[in-house]
Amino acid sequence: MAATIHTIEDFIRVLDENPTWRDAVRSRLLTEELLELPDKFARFVEHTEEFRERTEAFMARTEAFMERTEAFMEMATRRFEAIDRRFEETDRRFEAFVERTEAFMERTEAFMEMATRRFEAIDRRFEAIDRRFERIEQRLDKVESDIQGIRDDLGPLKAAHARNAAVREADLMTEDMGFTLIRKLTYDDIGALVRSQDTFGIPRNELVSFRRADLIAEAQDAEDQRCYLAIEISFTVNGRDTERALRNAELLQRFTGMPAYAAVAGLRTDDRIKHVISENLVRWHQLDPVSLGVE
């Protein structure tokens, strides 16, 4: 049955009752873009929902990241604050160290200056001491020279004193050696003996030494045989004395044709000639200290 349309309400009712008419009217009244708008809107809503969901997920991840970042920042802040405190403590300790070092350097410089002054003063004192030692050494050298001069002067005096004492007690000395004194040859006796002999081949210095012998004694041995003693006398008997005594004894035996013995007399002997005496190569007589006046 045909629909009767008199009013707009009738038209809308007919459209509501006939969807086909409604679609035909819509296609006549609306453009293609408007017709596609619902589908596009639906797709937009769908995309928007997806975007919202992704955005919410991103925001959730962002919030989690921000929370972790905030926690990290808080931790970093605490760490930096601790580091700052440690740096502040280190700065204070370093400043204190620098102050102590500077004070130490100042004390060291002051000490070095003082030590330098004292060392300079010590050097000056040592120089003065050196000069005093030089003067003392010069005076000691002079004293030693004077003492040596006195010794040189006393040597002959001591030897002469010992010789005089020994010659004075020649009989006691020869008895001590096991002989009996007959006579002491004088300087003239010895000179006459030398002149009466053939002295060819004998060095002149040995002849002079023989004529200057300390004591030449004619004696008898234990068997009453005549002999001679060539005696050298010194305060301290040494090797020169034993050598002269042995040489003079050989010359005596050559000149007289009789046994001759070397002998030495003195207050003491040099250690280096003890073996000559112990082997009886040279007779030994120790002078009495009382007779020398040395007690």
Side-chain angles (χ1 to χ4, degrees), residues 218-238:
E218 184 180 355
Q220 288 181 334
D221 60 18
E223 297 177 356
D224 295 332
Q225 296 295 320
R226 286 183 60 196
C227 61
Y228 285 90
L229 297 174
I231 305 172
E232 290 298 313
I233 306 163
S234 291
F235 201 83
T236 300
V237 178
N238 55 33

Side-chain angles (χ1 to χ4, degrees), residues 76-214:
T77 300
R78 290 193 299 273
R79 295 285 300 274
F80 277 121
E81 289 175 352
I83 291 171
D84 288 339
R85 289 192 296 271
R86 293 185 65 180
F87 270 119
E88 290 175 358
E89 178 64 20
T90 301
D91 289 341
R92 287 193 296 271
R93 294 180 63 184
F94 183 73
E95 289 176 358
F97 170 75
V98 171
E99 291 176 357
R100 292 196 302 272
T101 302
E102 290 176 348
F104 173 76
M105 293 301 294
E106 290 176 356
R107 292 195 303 273
T108 302
E109 290 177 358
F111 173 78
M112 292 300 293
E113 292 177 358
M114 179 272 293
T116 300
R117 291 193 298 271
R118 295 193 64 179
F119 277 127
E120 290 175 352
I122 291 171
D123 287 340
R124 290 192 295 271
R125 294 190 65 181
F126 272 121
E127 290 174 357
I129 291 171
D130 288 339
R131 290 192 296 271
R132 292 186 65 181
F133 272 122
E134 289 176 359
R135 292 194 296 270
I136 291 172
E137 288 176 353
Q138 292 172 358
R139 295 182 65 183
L140 285 176
D141 290 341
K142 185 177 183 306
V143 170
E144 289 179 356
S145 177
D146 294 343
I147 291 174
Q148 187 59 47
I150 293 172
R151 287 175 177 171
D152 294 341
D153 293 338
L154 286 177
L157 294 176
K158 289 167 63 178
H161 180 59
R163 184 166 51 252
N164 292 336
V167 171
R168 184 174 60 250
E169 299 178 356
D171 55 342
L172 295 175
M173 181 169 53
T174 54
E175 288 177 7
D176 182 59
M177 295 180 185
F179 300 92
T180 301
L181 179 66
I182 297 176
R183 68 186 181 101
K184 296 179 285 186
L185 273 68
T186 65
Y187 180 79
D188 292 337
D189 292 336
I190 297 171
L193 178 62
V194 171
R195 287 190 296 272
S196 66
Q197 302 297 316
D198 180 9
T199 58
F200 179 77
I202 302 175
R204 176 172 175 75
N205 63 315
E206 291 185 8
L207 290 174
V208 171
S209 176
F210 177 75
R211 295 183 64 174
R212 291 175 177 171
D214 291 338

Side-chain angles (χ1 to χ4, degrees), residues 6 133 165 242:
H6 295 286
F133 272 122
T242 56

